[in-house]
Amino acid sequence: MLTALSIKNYALIDDLQANFKGGFTIITGETGAGKSILLGALSLILGKRADLSSLKDDSQKCVIEAVFDIARYNLKSVFDQEDLDFEEQTIIRREILPSGKSRAFVNDTPVTLSSLQILGERLIDIHSQHQTLKMTDDEFQFQVIDALAGVEQELLDYSAHLKSYKQFKKELKKLSDFQAEANKEHEYNSFLLQELIEAKLVDGELESLEEEYETLDNIEAIKEKIVASHQLLNDEQIGALSILTEVKASFSKIASFSANYKELYNRIDSSLIELYDIFSEIEASEDALEADPNRLEQVNNRLQLLQNLLKKHLATDITELIQIQNSLEDKVSVTENLDKNIKKLQDQIAAETAVLDSLGKQIHEKRQAIIPDLKLQLEAYLQELGMPNAQFNITLTLDEGYFENGKDVLQFLFSANKGGSFKALNKAASGGELSRIMLAIKAVLSKYMQLPTIMFDEIDTGVSGEVSNKMGGIMKQMSKNMQVFAITHLPQVAAKGDSHLKVYKEDVNQITTSNLIELSGEDRVVEIAQMLGGLELSSSALAHAKQLLN
């Protein structure tokens, strides 16, 4: 429950500190005194977006801090889900800086507004005029029925399977679309792939073939030059080998005369060895050379094939052609496996459909089972609240489709008068009736949902007399299980509170500020008497106020 609230530099509030108790707390004050400001500050704690215009002094930051005692409310899983440290005394702080930036903290850990909203929904339920209108939405009506039906786990399971179902459907559509497109290209891609496979591509082959072709195509010229070189090296009269052998012999005789001659001798000897080696290789090359027209034709044909493939695929070399072949293999393989993959997805969708149908039926049956009891409880509360002929007609139809919260189509119809036709809530009930219906719904929900705090913002608008007395009684009854706040203008409701807070405005140094004070004893009697008869207190108003309080 909410145990303390601190507001600094927000709207008309300069610095407000308030402590709260459990049970039923009343908040009163004249119109414009600042009750809506209090709610606005609380809304920021619950994750509402900040507005720079909210700052009282736009040169200072606004700080709103709330303390919650949540020891008894099983909220640790929510903290774990949002990666927050759980504290039984949890402090939420919101800051709005003069720059317009906003910061939020839970137990001094920075959090996003999304996390703050998730946590806030489990801490305080603020009932406002907007929420009364929300009551006519399907989503809210399902929340009411589901709270009574106890289908939280089934809905979690359903949601998980619905997510998988949608993902599989999305993948199936993508694959089916791809198949339609791929089938058009499959035959052509298969032809291109087969052509490359038959070519038996080898990385680096092109360069090797081009070299072999040049050799075979110029074999006579090559042979002529090699033969001439062989003769020049080996001629007995003028051959390089003979001449260099004589030079070596000459220097062998003078090598011992100086280091210089010795070095020249060694160099001549090394050159002669190298020249003999060159001669051997030329001789071997000459023996290996042989014209081969058939091989020349084979190499030429192979080169032509490779060049045509390079040109066809706009490739620069064999490596790139091999990459293109691999890519075509992937495309053809994917296309050929599409039927298998599509069948697998269809089977997965069928499996998820079966689970969703089963869960949808379970949820439907549980919802259907509590509708008579919900109807009886709501109508009983409305009888108390001065609507003796109020009736609900709640129907639930199991549909073929898969919705976010099950397979049900809900009709939540209402009739306020005897013999009247059933219509949607927003067409069958007035504003005052909607407020009473919402109170009845909240009263029923309080028996089934664990919520630390609920705050009613003038839910008694449009009612008076005995009805307002009954409304106060219902809120008082709810406060036995939870902390209840009621902002009210009705003395009958105000008198039922366990504690009473008053919001008031005062002018200090020509600046208007809003403040909050706890009333007790005679101060509370006076406040309720003024609510009954205005600022001029009469003895009858004071007596009536004491009677209401007693």
Side-chain angles (χ1 to χ4, degrees), residues 269-498:
D269 184 50
S270 296
S271 298
L272 189 59
I273 292 168
E274 177 67 14
L275 198 58
Y276 268 112
D277 190 54
I278 291 170
F279 175 75
S280 296
E281 285 197 29
I282 290 173
E283 200 170 34
S285 296
E286 184 182 353
D287 294 339
L289 277 176
E290 187 178 345
D292 189 345
N294 290 332
R295 178 58 186 163
L296 178 60
E297 185 180 0
Q298 287 174 2
V299 170
N300 186 46
N301 290 340
R302 179 66 175 170
L303 278 172
Q304 194 62 49
L305 171 66
L306 293 177
Q307 292 293 350
N308 287 341
L309 288 173
L310 288 170
K311 186 176 179 182
K312 186 173 190 174
H313 293 278
L314 302 176
T316 54
D317 52 31
I318 300 295
T319 302
E320 195 173 341
L321 268 183
I322 292 171
Q323 290 171 352
I324 291 168
Q325 179 179 329
N326 292 337
S327 175
L328 284 168
E329 282 174 347
D330 290 341
K331 287 181 181 179
V332 170
S333 172
V334 167
T335 305
E336 289 174 349
N337 288 323
L338 278 177
D339 286 337
K340 178 180 166 185
N341 293 336
I342 285 173
K343 177 65 169 61
K344 182 181 175 183
L345 280 171
Q346 287 171 336
D347 290 343
Q348 288 172 317
I349 289 168
E352 291 297 344
T353 300
V355 175
L356 287 171
D357 285 340
S358 175
L359 285 169
K361 189 179 178 187
Q362 290 176 41
I363 293 166
H364 172 78
E365 288 171 352
K366 283 193 172 185
R367 284 170 171 169
Q368 192 70 49
I370 60 88
I371 285 175
D373 184 48
L374 173 61
K375 183 175 177 297
L376 282 174
Q377 288 194 63
L378 289 177
E379 288 172 358
Y381 274 119
L382 291 179
Q383 272 197 331
E384 264 193 79
L385 295 171
M387 298 174 67
N389 299 314
Q391 285 185 296
F392 287 91
N393 182 17
I394 305 170
T395 61
L396 207 62
T397 308
L398 194 61
D399 195 79
E400 291 300 313
Y402 301 107
F403 309 122
E404 292 299 322
N405 61 350
K407 298 190 64 181
D408 290 320
V409 176
L410 173 66
Q411 272 200 311
F412 209 101
L413 304 179
F414 176 73
S415 172
N417 304 304
K418 214 176 248 187
S421 58
F422 286 98
K423 296 178 183 174
L425 280 172
N426 58 344
K427 294 180 181 176
S430 65
E433 287 170 336
L434 280 175
S435 292
R436 281 179 270 180
I437 294 168
M438 178 56 98
L439 179 59
I441 288 172
K442 295 288 186 182
V444 173
L445 285 177
S446 68
K447 300 174 186 177
Y448 299 90
M449 290 178 71
Q450 190 181 52
L451 188 71
T453 302
I454 188 167
M455 183 169 285
F456 291 107
D457 180 18
E458 299 184 3
I459 196 170
D460 48 24
T461 299
V463 300
S464 58
E466 183 56 29
V467 172
S468 62
N469 189 46
K470 293 287 186 183
M471 290 184 92
I474 291 172
M475 287 187 270
K476 176 83 170 177
Q477 184 66 32
M478 290 172 66
S479 72
K480 291 181 180 178
N481 300 320
M482 63 196 306
Q483 183 185 39
V484 178
F485 287 88
I487 297 174
T488 183
H489 287 291
L490 295 181
Q492 293 90 342
V493 175
K496 294 193 181 292
D498 299 312

